[in-house]
Amino acid sequence: MSDAYTKLMERVRDLGRFRSIEFLLEWDQETYMPANGMTTRAEAAALVSGLAHERLVADETRDLLAKAEDTADRGDFVIDTNLRETRRTFDRAAKLPTDLVKEIAHTSALAKTAWAKARAQSDFPEFAPLLEKLIQLKKRVAEHIGYDTEPLDVLIDESDPGEKAAEIETLFARLREAIVPLLRKVMESPHQPDGSILTRRFPLDQQKQLSRQVAEALHFDFESGRSDVSVHPFTTTIGDSGDVRITTRYSENNIAEALFGTIHEVGHGLYEQGLPREHRLTPSAEYISLGMHESQSRLWENQIGHSRPFWDYYWDPVRRLFPEALSDVSQDEFYAAINRVTPSLNRVSADELTYNLHIILRFEIERALFTDKLSVNDLPDVWNEKMKQLLGVTPPNDREGCLQDIHWSMGIFGYFQSYALGNLYAAQLLEQVRKDLPDLDARIAANDHRPLLDWLRKHIHRHGRRYRANELIERITGKPVTIEPFMEYVTAKFSQIYRL
Amino acid sequence: MSDAYTKLMERVRDLGRFRSIEFLLEWDQETYMPANGMTTRAEAAALVSGLAHERLVADETRDLLAKAEDTADRGDFVIDTNLRETRRTFDRAAKLPTDLVKEIAHTSALAKTAWAKARAQSDFPEFAPLLEKLIQLKKRVAEHIGYDTEPLDVLIDESDPGEKAAEIETLFARLREAIVPLLRKVMESPHQPDGSILTRRFPLDQQKQLSRQVAEALHFDFESGRSDVSVHPFTTTIGDSGDVRITTRYSENNIAEALFGTIHEVGHGLYEQGLPREHRLTPSAEYISLGMHESQSRLWENQIGHSRPFWDYYWDPVRRLFPEALSDVSQDEFYAAINRVTPSLNRVSADELTYNLHIILRFEIERALFTDKLSVNDLPDVWNEKMKQLLGVTPPNDREGCLQDIHWSMGIFGYFQSYALGNLYAAQLLEQVRKDLPDLDARIAANDHRPLLDWLRKHIHRHGRRYRANELIERITGKPVTIEPFMEYVTAKFSQIYRL
């Protein structure tokens, strides 16, 4: 082990310790911090992130990294991964002029406020100039970091390392062509499930009990994590896989939101808890990409949590927990209700079939904005046209249209694709799981999630960031990411439910 | 405002921001952190405290401080306080050689482990060598920082700035002489309350409801604080008076522990919430001393929470909350039970009258150790003799004797006196309150704690660290701290309960 590498890793681990602090400050802010703690909290968070950034881009890091790259024993995958990822992180940070970073922070603070106002008043022109400015600033980021083909690749690379805009668009175009006709058939079916049974009264205490029971059944480890309540559910890791925290939002008139929200976050949490703790605080113990992360949450939430075998087990305990709400409901009706397809204006509440269409719409718009094929002023019209084409619905105003997501106002571009990539990965992975574990459905129906979790641990979690997402998908399934497993899955599932 | 002063204060505020992070890391560790979060948590805490220490003792701090002392506008009490206290903190840190600080940290880590083992096995010699070493190290601390009369003064000054060992011992000797005969009379009284009614079954949900109700009635501000559960109850301030957190321990077979524990921590919390937020993160917004802090917790816990007027209001709601446990109990019996005096071996569970004796014992021993009048090996015998003299009880072993407190194993000396000083301050302050607010008892009996809180805010909280404790006590009451108000209070109270 080279001396420079050892020193570099000590530095990298300190950066991980700073990050653990940043994440705890955020977690506390979202869960327990009293309102009047905000002023000092924001300053403390800025202090830590400033120190961490300084230490990352310091000359000493640059020198240690260069020396470690020269002297470390290559061929050891932990060392290779740590050097490759430290180089990537260092370059992305060090190539950006401080002024540009500050201008982005400043502009997105203004843009967030403008977006909130624009959204409340459904007034896109209020937000447009700052959105335009953020896009220009983000293009400058891409210029500084450098790209082969197009600026958006640099931003995508932050969420999904190695993925390229052009390839994603090709993949998404195929996905869109395949989903839209299936969606049409589903909507034309006379057999529409009754979704209203999910919005009866479901007492909170019992919902919490159910969420805990399911989280434990999925082997979320409460010695290495916890579950709390927050307005916007999330998963965060405070340092390493020994402290993984998920949150859930409960509402009395909706059983689906908290239950499937919990399973979704548990899916993220299981990935984090499965990362190799022996490499904690280094890139070797980090997740591969946001797309891969989303594959884990979606796999558990949709392919397992919304499946027949899962409800073969849970229908009885759930009906016992909520006798008033569910006494006149059959298991089939409940299963159909949680899988009901409803083209809507809103991404967050979208079902399994239409969700990808919301993502594709955003991705196409982002790419057009970053290749100058679309101007910001035309965004609302294009949004509404695409909504009509893809989902058959038209937003009555921009609040329910192109102003619904906060992401762009925060300067986050090249991020949405992760959600749809996650859905495709999940389906492709589960196709392989079914080959490797022929009795999967029987295990799920017996509430035994251990074989599936072990499979994910072995094939994905334990590798940390050793592979890129597509590389790992190909290693596991024999082919790069493709739409077929997803389409076969949704076609079979919804054909059955909607009797197509 | 001098430029150097402004820059110095920005630096001081950054130190406060670091402290806010250290305190959040600790709070989370004691309340919510999953077990496996400990490794990275300890490292993150060490990283932050190391950075904070570096920044405190940096040459830049030294230079800015010297320049600010030369150039700032004196006479403004905020500036004067901030300079005086920053000088004090800087000197205390900068005068200590790094090696000594490290050796103390290392030795107390060993000592804590040895103490835990010694305590479990009631084996003082296991702990003695490390205790001896810690005392020697702490004497070296005193030498480096410097003192006029004796080394213990330096350690006392950390908890109770300005207080001197010799004066405290004189004060405590008088207190001891006054309490012991009163205690004897109390114990000889044939009218002994029945304390067992407090250890019946008190369901946890109702206890939590009661604690919340009382905290709100005492005007603990939940927009600027919160209340959680922890094994060892404490109060911590995450940065400033806008984020003050208390904790409570609940047990089903004890109504007194959680209720009075809550009132005690609320007392601390009210002090913190009352510190002047406009000076947040600077010494002007800090509490005066641990003794003054304890005066606030003890005043609310004992003089209010254990008083007749308080129970004139709370008896009905409490009996309604716990009908099973309290149906055969009268208000007088309950009032006598919560005020029952029982000389015991244990400081933590001691009553209002014997508590000070436990403190005096520890203080006398500490002073003897630091003036070489007592050797560590003789400590257990002296402890047991003093227990007999002061409290009339003899520990059957060292676990229940001189090994009961963790403090010394952590290298904490010159700290215990705060508890007894707090009791004396509280009584002396409340004597003055009664002159200023003649209808205090009526207000308490009406569950209206606003006048008392306003008085404390005005006379104590809002001043932050402007005054030393004894200076403020004299400003408010016209005389330095003395034992008479406390003795008058306990004599009147226990004469009535025990019909002396």
Side-chain angles (χ1 to χ4, degrees), chain B residues 38-320:
Chain B
M38 196 55 227
T39 312
T40 295
R41 175 59 48 88
E43 294 169 0
L47 178 65
V48 176
S49 71
L51 282 171
H53 180 77
E54 266 175 40
R55 203 173 275 210
L56 169 60
V57 301
D59 289 342
E60 202 179 333
T61 312
R62 182 190 304 273
D63 297 344
L64 278 174
L65 178 54
K67 204 179 267 181
E69 286 170 333
D70 280 350
T71 56
D73 301 332
R74 296 310 186 97
D76 175 307
F77 74 86
V78 174
I79 294 176
D80 289 349
T81 302
N82 285 341
L83 286 176
R84 183 189 71 219
E85 295 301 315
T86 304
R87 166 59 65 194
R88 178 171 168 274
T89 306
F90 175 80
D91 281 353
R92 288 192 72 99
K95 283 180 178 173
L96 295 184
T98 312
D99 284 352
L100 179 57
V101 174
K102 282 191 182 157
E103 200 177 348
I104 291 173
H106 179 67
T107 309
S108 53
L110 295 176
K112 237 172 105 173
T113 309
W115 167 78
K117 199 175 159 197
R119 188 175 187 234
Q121 302 168 354
S122 201
D123 176 16
F124 183 76
E126 171 84 28
F127 176 49
L130 285 158
L131 176 58
E132 174 63 32
K133 187 161 182 206
L134 278 173
I135 291 168
Q136 297 311 323
L137 290 168
K138 283 291 185 168
K139 282 184 183 168
R140 284 175 54 199
V141 165
E143 296 304 327
H144 281 286
I145 293 176
Y147 54 86
D148 292 332
T149 317
E150 58 184 293
L152 190 59
D153 284 350
V154 175
L155 309 180
I156 290 172
D157 191 80
E158 198 155 333
S159 306
D160 291 295
E163 299 302 318
K164 305 288 179 206
E167 289 165 28
I168 294 171
E169 187 145 345
T170 308
L171 187 71
F172 283 3
R174 292 191 57 217
L175 186 58
R176 167 189 180 145
E177 294 312 308
I179 293 175
V180 169
L182 175 60
L183 176 59
R184 194 162 306 132
K185 277 194 243 169
V186 162
M187 294 320 296
E188 284 162 1
S189 162
H191 305 287
Q192 296 292 326
D194 173 11
S196 72
I197 56 177
L198 304 176
T199 54
R200 294 175 174 178
R201 192 174 157 272
F202 298 90
L204 294 182
D205 279 354
Q206 282 86 319
Q207 284 202 57
K208 286 179 183 172
Q209 196 183 320
L210 176 61
S211 284
R212 175 81 189 198
Q213 185 188 342
V214 171
E216 283 177 356
L218 303 187
H219 304 288
F220 183 81
D221 175 5
F222 284 90
E223 292 285 298
S224 295
R226 37 180 306 112
S227 172
D228 298 272
V229 173
S230 74
V231 177
H232 302 287
F234 64 96
T235 300
T236 186
T237 292
I238 315 291
D240 68 55
S241 53
D243 190 351
V244 177
R245 306 185 183 195
I246 65 171
T247 70
T248 303
R249 168 171 54 192
Y250 294 91
S251 87
E252 199 173 54
N253 296 306
N254 190 331
I255 187 183
E257 187 180 29
L259 175 59
F260 296 115
T262 299
I263 300 177
H264 181 94
E265 303 303 334
V266 161
H268 283 304
L270 291 173
Y271 186 8
E272 290 286 322
Q273 289 185 335
L275 292 167
R277 201 168 171 204
E278 62 272 31
H279 306 309
R280 73 189 169 88
L281 306 171
T282 73
S284 289
E286 273 168 35
Y287 64 90
I288 292 176
S289 68
L290 289 183
M292 189 58 79
H293 228 306
E294 203 66 14
S295 79
Q296 301 303 293
S297 56
R298 296 275 163 168
L299 188 150
W300 288 104
E301 177 193 358
N302 290 333
Q303 311 235 9
I304 304 303
H306 283 76
S307 73
R308 281 202 171 277
F310 185 86
W311 287 98
D312 284 343
Y313 181 86
Y314 277 99
W315 176 242
D316 277 348
V318 165
R319 202 163 48 166
R320 273 200 303 277

Side-chain angles (χ1 to χ4, degrees), chain A residues 70-90:
Chain A
D70 279 350
T71 57
D73 301 330
R74 296 313 186 93
D76 176 306
F77 75 85
V78 173
I79 295 176
D80 289 347
T81 302
N82 285 341
L83 287 176
R84 182 190 70 219
E85 295 302 313
T86 304
R87 166 59 65 194
R88 178 171 169 272
T89 307
F90 175 80

